[in-house]
Amino acid sequence: DGGITQSPKYLFRKEGQNVTLSCEQNLNHDAMYWYRQDPGQGLRLIYYSQIVNDFQKGDIAEGYSVSREKKESFPLTVTSAQKNPTAFYLCASQDSSHGKNIQYFGAGTRLSVL
Amino acid sequence: AQSVTQLDSQVPVFEEAPVELRCNYSSSVSVYLFWYVQYPNQGLQLLLKYLSGSTLVESINGFEAEFNKSQTSFHLRKPSVHISDTAEYFCAVTDQGGSEKLVFGKGTKLTVNP
Protein backbone atom coordinates (compact mmCIF):
# COMPACT_ATOMS: atom_id res chain seq x y z
CA ASP A 1 0.00 0.00 0.00
CA GLY A 2 1.93 3.01 -1.27
CA GLY A 3 1.75 6.39 0.34
CA ILE A 4 2.97 8.83 2.93
CA THR A 5 2.74 8.05 6.62
CA GLN A 6 2.89 10.73 9.28
CA SER A 7 3.10 9.99 12.98
CA PRO A 8 1.89 10.65 15.52
CA LYS A 9 -1.54 11.95 14.57
CA TYR A 10 -1.66 14.13 17.70
CA LEU A 11 1.30 15.49 19.65
CA PHE A 12 1.60 17.66 22.73
CA ARG A 13 4.64 19.75 23.54
CA LYS A 14 5.68 21.12 26.88
CA GLU A 15 7.35 24.50 27.09
CA GLY A 16 11.07 24.29 26.36
CA GLN A 17 10.78 20.85 24.80
CA ASN A 18 11.85 19.73 21.33
CA VAL A 19 9.50 17.35 19.54
CA THR A 20 9.98 15.37 16.34
CA LEU A 21 7.31 14.62 13.74
CA SER A 22 7.84 11.58 11.56
CA CYS A 23 7.24 11.38 7.81
CA GLU A 24 7.87 8.23 5.77
CA GLN A 25 7.10 7.58 2.11
CA ASN A 26 7.33 4.45 -0.05
CA LEU A 27 6.55 6.17 -3.34
CA ASN A 28 10.23 6.37 -4.34
CA HIS A 29 9.96 10.14 -4.71
CA ASP A 30 13.13 12.21 -4.49
CA ALA A 31 11.58 15.41 -3.15
CA MET A 32 9.85 15.83 0.21
CA TYR A 33 8.25 18.82 1.91
CA TRP A 34 7.00 20.04 5.28
CA TYR A 35 4.14 22.53 5.53
CA ARG A 36 2.46 24.27 8.42
CA GLN A 37 -1.27 24.93 8.22
CA ASP A 38 -3.03 27.52 10.36
CA PRO A 39 -6.74 28.40 9.99
CA GLY A 40 -7.31 30.85 7.15
CA GLN A 41 -3.65 30.97 6.14
CA GLY A 42 -3.36 28.08 3.76
CA LEU A 43 -0.15 26.06 3.68
CA ARG A 44 3.21 27.62 4.40
CA LEU A 45 6.43 25.86 3.46
CA ILE A 46 8.82 25.11 6.34
CA TYR A 47 11.57 23.01 4.73
CA TYR A 48 12.02 20.91 1.64
CA SER A 49 14.49 18.37 0.38
CA GLN A 50 15.07 17.51 -3.26
CA ILE A 51 17.56 14.73 -2.62
CA VAL A 52 19.07 12.69 0.21
CA ASN A 53 21.47 14.59 2.48
CA ASP A 54 20.31 17.95 1.16
CA PHE A 55 17.52 20.30 2.25
CA GLN A 56 16.55 23.95 1.95
CA LYS A 57 14.68 26.42 4.12
CA GLY A 58 11.20 27.37 3.10
CA ASP A 59 9.31 30.52 4.00
CA ILE A 60 8.99 29.90 7.76
CA ALA A 61 11.99 27.77 8.78
CA GLU A 62 12.84 29.58 12.02
CA GLY A 63 12.38 27.33 15.05
CA TYR A 64 12.37 24.13 12.98
CA SER A 65 15.01 21.65 11.84
CA VAL A 66 15.03 18.65 9.49
CA SER A 67 17.25 15.82 8.32
CA ARG A 68 17.21 13.66 5.20
CA GLU A 69 19.45 10.67 5.80
CA LYS A 70 17.27 8.28 3.81
CA LYS A 71 15.16 8.75 0.72
CA GLU A 72 12.10 7.39 2.53
CA SER A 73 12.28 9.58 5.62
CA PHE A 74 12.12 13.32 6.30
CA PRO A 75 11.58 14.01 10.04
CA LEU A 76 10.77 17.51 11.29
CA THR A 77 11.89 18.73 14.71
CA VAL A 78 9.98 21.58 16.31
CA THR A 79 12.48 23.19 18.62
CA SER A 80 11.93 25.23 21.77
CA ALA A 81 12.82 28.31 19.70
CA GLN A 82 9.47 28.00 17.91
CA LYS A 83 7.31 30.09 20.22
CA ASN A 84 3.98 29.41 18.53
CA PRO A 85 4.10 25.78 17.44
CA THR A 86 0.37 24.98 17.69
CA ALA A 87 -0.69 24.06 14.16
CA PHE A 88 -1.46 21.23 11.76
CA TYR A 89 1.71 19.92 10.09
CA LEU A 90 1.61 18.28 6.68
CA CYS A 91 4.32 16.30 4.94
CA ALA A 92 4.34 15.74 1.19
CA SER A 93 6.45 14.06 -1.44
CA GLN A 94 6.63 15.02 -5.08
CA ASP A 95 6.41 13.01 -8.26
CA SER A 96 8.59 14.95 -10.66
CA SER A 97 8.71 12.30 -13.35
CA HIS A 98 7.86 13.51 -16.83
CA GLY A 99 7.57 17.05 -15.49
CA LYS A 100 4.42 16.32 -13.50
CA ASN A 101 5.39 18.12 -10.25
CA ILE A 102 2.48 16.53 -8.37
CA GLN A 103 2.64 16.50 -4.58
CA TYR A 104 1.11 13.77 -2.44
CA PHE A 105 0.27 14.42 1.20
CA GLY A 106 0.22 12.52 4.45
CA ALA A 107 -2.71 12.69 6.88
CA GLY A 108 -1.02 15.29 9.07
CA THR A 109 0.09 15.74 12.67
CA ARG A 110 -1.74 18.13 14.96
CA LEU A 111 0.66 19.71 17.44
CA SER A 112 -0.57 21.46 20.58
CA VAL A 113 1.20 23.12 23.47
CA LEU A 114 0.51 21.97 27.01
CA ALA B 1 7.83 34.10 -8.06
CA GLN B 2 4.27 32.88 -8.24
CA SER B 3 1.28 33.82 -6.11
CA VAL B 4 -2.27 32.49 -5.82
CA THR B 5 -5.41 34.33 -4.78
CA GLN B 6 -8.56 32.47 -3.82
CA LEU B 7 -11.16 35.15 -3.84
CA ASP B 8 -13.64 33.57 -1.42
CA SER B 9 -12.68 32.23 1.98
CA GLN B 10 -16.10 30.62 2.52
CA VAL B 11 -18.78 29.50 0.08
CA PRO B 12 -22.10 28.18 1.44
CA VAL B 13 -24.46 26.51 -1.03
CA PHE B 14 -27.48 24.26 -0.97
CA GLU B 15 -27.34 20.65 -2.07
CA GLU B 16 -27.78 20.14 -5.85
CA ALA B 17 -26.93 23.79 -6.57
CA PRO B 18 -24.02 24.71 -8.86
CA VAL B 19 -20.84 26.11 -7.38
CA GLU B 20 -17.76 27.98 -8.58
CA LEU B 21 -14.64 28.41 -6.47
CA ARG B 22 -12.44 31.14 -7.89
CA CYS B 23 -8.66 31.04 -8.24
CA ASN B 24 -6.38 33.61 -9.83
CA TYR B 25 -2.62 33.33 -10.08
CA SER B 26 0.29 35.51 -11.04
CA SER B 27 3.49 34.33 -12.66
CA SER B 28 6.03 35.61 -15.14
CA VAL B 29 6.57 32.12 -16.58
CA SER B 30 4.41 29.23 -17.75
CA VAL B 31 2.77 27.30 -14.95
CA TYR B 32 1.20 24.07 -13.83
CA LEU B 33 -2.03 24.44 -11.83
CA PHE B 34 -3.68 22.21 -9.25
CA TRP B 35 -6.75 21.95 -7.08
CA TYR B 36 -6.49 20.00 -3.83
CA VAL B 37 -9.30 19.07 -1.43
CA GLN B 38 -8.99 18.68 2.33
CA TYR B 39 -11.61 16.96 4.48
CA PRO B 40 -11.61 17.77 8.23
CA ASN B 41 -8.46 16.61 10.08
CA GLN B 42 -7.01 15.00 6.97
CA GLY B 43 -4.23 15.72 4.53
CA LEU B 44 -4.71 17.20 1.08
CA GLN B 45 -5.85 15.06 -1.85
CA LEU B 46 -5.23 16.02 -5.46
CA LEU B 47 -8.55 16.81 -7.11
CA LEU B 48 -7.39 17.79 -10.59
CA LYS B 49 -4.46 19.30 -12.44
CA TYR B 50 -3.57 21.27 -15.53
CA LEU B 51 -0.17 20.36 -16.95
CA SER B 52 -0.65 20.87 -20.69
CA GLY B 53 -3.09 20.19 -23.51
CA SER B 54 -6.81 20.80 -23.09
CA THR B 55 -7.56 23.80 -20.91
CA LEU B 56 -10.60 22.07 -19.42
CA VAL B 57 -9.73 19.38 -16.91
CA GLU B 58 -12.11 17.12 -15.02
CA SER B 59 -12.08 15.02 -11.86
CA ILE B 60 -13.76 11.68 -11.35
CA ASN B 61 -16.34 13.12 -8.95
CA GLY B 62 -17.82 15.75 -11.25
CA PHE B 63 -15.60 18.78 -10.64
CA GLU B 64 -13.99 20.61 -13.53
CA ALA B 65 -11.61 23.53 -13.88
CA GLU B 66 -10.66 25.66 -16.85
CA PHE B 67 -7.25 27.18 -17.37
CA ASN B 68 -7.63 30.70 -18.75
CA LYS B 69 -4.22 32.10 -19.58
CA SER B 70 -5.41 35.57 -20.58
CA GLN B 71 -7.28 36.00 -17.29
CA THR B 72 -4.70 34.05 -15.27
CA SER B 73 -7.49 32.03 -13.70
CA PHE B 74 -8.19 28.39 -12.87
CA HIS B 75 -11.71 28.40 -11.42
CA LEU B 76 -13.21 25.20 -10.05
CA ARG B 77 -16.84 24.34 -10.89
CA LYS B 78 -19.40 21.67 -10.22
CA PRO B 79 -22.90 21.76 -11.72
CA SER B 80 -24.60 20.02 -8.77
CA VAL B 81 -22.99 19.61 -5.36
CA HIS B 82 -23.55 16.97 -2.69
CA ILE B 83 -23.32 17.12 1.08
CA SER B 84 -20.16 15.03 0.81
CA ASP B 85 -18.44 17.82 -1.15
CA THR B 86 -18.22 19.85 2.06
CA ALA B 87 -14.48 20.43 2.51
CA GLU B 88 -11.75 23.00 2.08
CA TYR B 89 -10.36 23.48 -1.41
CA PHE B 90 -6.89 24.78 -2.21
CA CYS B 91 -5.62 26.10 -5.51
CA ALA B 92 -1.87 25.75 -6.13
CA VAL B 93 0.64 26.78 -8.80
CA THR B 94 4.18 25.84 -9.73
CA ASP B 95 6.34 27.01 -12.59
CA GLN B 96 7.09 24.71 -15.49
CA GLY B 97 10.78 25.44 -15.12
CA GLY B 98 11.04 22.99 -12.25
CA SER B 99 11.31 25.20 -9.17
CA GLU B 100 10.11 22.15 -7.22
CA LYS B 101 7.92 24.30 -4.99
CA LEU B 102 4.15 24.62 -4.93
CA VAL B 103 2.56 27.91 -3.94
CA PHE B 104 -0.86 27.52 -2.34
CA GLY B 105 -3.80 29.85 -2.01
CA LYS B 106 -5.33 30.37 1.42
CA GLY B 107 -8.20 28.00 0.73
CA THR B 108 -11.95 28.17 0.23
CA LYS B 109 -14.21 26.41 2.68
CA LEU B 110 -17.19 24.94 0.80
CA THR B 111 -20.20 24.10 2.95
CA VAL B 112 -23.06 22.24 1.31
CA ASN B 113 -26.31 22.53 3.23
CA PRO B 114 -29.33 20.23 2.87
Side-chain angles (χ1 to χ4, degrees), chain B:
Chain B
Q2 291 83 40
S3 68
V4 176
T5 301
Q6 291 185 243
L7 295 158
D8 305 296
S9 60
Q10 297 190 54
V11 173
V13 295
F14 288 109
E15 195 174 16
E16 298 184 5
V19 70
E20 178 180 80
L21 307 184
R22 296 179 291 170
C23 172
N24 287 92
Y25 69 92
S26 68
S27 177
S28 57
V29 298
S30 297
V31 296
Y32 296 134
L33 292 155
F34 306 86
W35 276 100
Y36 283 85
V37 59
Q38 184 181 35
Y39 299 101
N41 294 311
Q42 295 186 26
L44 275 66
Q45 302 172 32
L46 181 66
L47 185 61
L48 45 74
K49 61 189 182 293
Y50 170 77
L51 302 179
S52 64
S54 173
T55 57
L56 183 66
V57 290
E58 299 176 352
S59 71
I60 58 173
N61 57 354
F63 283 95
E64 65 178 30
E66 185 161 20
F67 170 51
N68 188 319
K69 189 174 182 179
S70 63
Q71 297 187 6
T72 60
S73 68
F74 191 53
H75 301 332
L76 181 69
R77 302 183 182 97
K78 189 170 185 181
S80 176
V81 293
H82 303 289
I83 299 283
S84 59
D85 293 323
T86 294
E88 191 156 20
Y89 293 79
F90 293 92
C91 182
V93 63
T94 188
D95 66 80
Q96 293 186 15
S99 73
E100 303 289 341
K101 290 199 288 184
L102 272 183
V103 175
F104 287 86
K106 293 189 175 182
T108 297
K109 194 165 290 185
L110 173 65
T111 303
V112 181
N113 298 300

